[in-house]
Amino acid sequence: MAWQNEMTLIIRHLINDLDSSAYTFTDSRIQETILVGAQLVLTEIDFTNTYTVDVDALTLSPDPTTGTKDNSFIALVSLKSSCIITGSQLRTQSLSALALKDGPSSIDTRGIVAGLSIIYKDVCEKYETAKIEYKTTNSIGQAILS
């Protein structure tokens, strides 16, 4: 259960879903996304460890957070999963964005979409940068998650 706890917390920080009284995403939804992200990352990158991902059974083995931690795998999968989640949020908000003006009153929710777009672009660029860094050096600098 270690990867579920550690990687879920990392992703909550990356997507700013930290208010435990009003989480946007449940732990189980984030854990599913971690496995989807891991599956996608494994198609792009060859790691030293051989990971087995079963999205249906919600399993990842070996656990990258126990024993000798695979910080590169943890960082890359967390960034990819955060990119997936913010992309989903961006699509959802884009469909409901509107600007309404009635005399002197106005409501404009397009700014939410613009803000999410910036976050989405940032986290996906961090993933791409980390992926290139890993492919060229077989490791990722510690500053990537800060």
Side-chain angles (χ1 to χ4, degrees):
M1 276 306 251
W3 70 265
Q4 292 95 328
N5 297 330
E6 187 170 332
M7 293 177 78
T8 298
L9 185 58
I10 291 168
I11 290 170
R12 284 200 186 283
H13 280 273
L14 289 170
I15 65 171
N16 196 27
D17 190 19
L18 299 170
D19 184 4
S20 62
S21 65
Y23 281 149
T24 303
F25 300 97
T26 64
D27 284 349
S28 63
R29 179 63 65 184
I30 290 176
Q31 290 161 12
E32 288 173 4
T33 307
I34 289 168
L35 294 172
V36 170
Q39 188 69 49
L40 295 172
V41 168
L42 289 172
T43 65
E44 298 179 300
I45 300 170
D46 292 322
F47 291 94
T48 306
N49 294 332
T50 301
Y51 290 99
T52 303
V53 177
D54 189 336
V55 177
D56 224 15
L58 297 176
T59 59
L60 171 62
S61 63
D63 189 331
T65 64
T66 59
T68 303
K69 289 176 85 166
D70 191 343
N71 288 320
S72 296
F73 180 84
I74 293 167
L76 284 160
V77 170
S78 296
L79 287 168
K80 183 66 167 184
S81 301
S82 298
C83 186
I84 292 167
I85 289 170
T86 55
S88 172
Q89 287 179 306
L90 179 59
R91 282 186 294 278
T92 300
Q93 290 296 326
S94 294
L95 293 173
S96 61
L98 63 100
L100 178 66
K101 191 168 188 174
D102 184 22
S105 301
S106 66
I107 298 172
D108 190 347
T109 61
R110 295 176 295 180
I112 296 169
V113 174
L116 274 173
S117 180
I118 291 167
I119 294 167
Y120 174 71
K121 182 179 178 186
D122 180 56
V123 75
C124 293
E125 282 178 358
K126 284 181 180 177
Y127 169 75
E128 290 298 325
T129 300
K131 179 177 75 171
I132 291 167
E133 184 177 343
Y134 184 83
K135 283 183 169 185
T136 57
T137 65
N138 260 8
S139 69
I140 297 175
Q142 295 297 320
I144 197 71
L145 290 178
S146 62

